Amino acid sequence: MDVVLARQTAVYFCRKLDYTVQELGAVFNRNHSNISHTCKKVDDYIQCDREIGAKINQVGDRINAMQQ
């Protein structure tokens, strides 16, 4: 689960940086529908699972800190 969640989180934040689903599909060796599904799933984690959502948000906070 850790590897899957890490990949899903990476896809999610890359998508937030305006990479297209086609670009991300090529990078992560997935098709565009897998990328879309992954982003929806991470959104669901953030809204419905406090523990996993907190981990995902922590990654987002670190990404934002690096961009400043």
Side-chain angles (χ1 to χ4, degrees):
M1 174 77 176
D2 290 341
V3 173
V4 173
L5 183 58
R7 182 179 55 243
Q8 289 172 335
T9 302
V11 167
Y12 177 79
F13 285 111
C14 286
R15 186 72 178 112
K16 293 269 186 198
L17 294 172
D18 291 329
Y19 288 96
T20 67
V21 291
Q22 290 81 10
E23 290 171 326
L24 294 175
V27 169
F28 289 96
N29 197 28
R30 302 286 188 267
N31 65 43
H32 71 281
S33 62
N34 292 125
I35 300 300
S36 296
H37 176 75
T38 294
C39 292
K40 166 99 174 76
K41 190 167 187 156
V42 172
D43 276 332
D44 291 344
Y45 281 144
I46 291 169
Q47 292 178 12
C48 300
D49 189 318
R50 287 187 176 177
E51 184 180 338
I52 293 176
K55 289 178 183 180
I56 293 167
N57 286 325
Q58 187 177 35
V59 171
D61 292 343
R62 289 182 182 186
I63 290 170
N64 290 334
M66 290 173 56
Q67 291 179 334
Q68 295 176 358

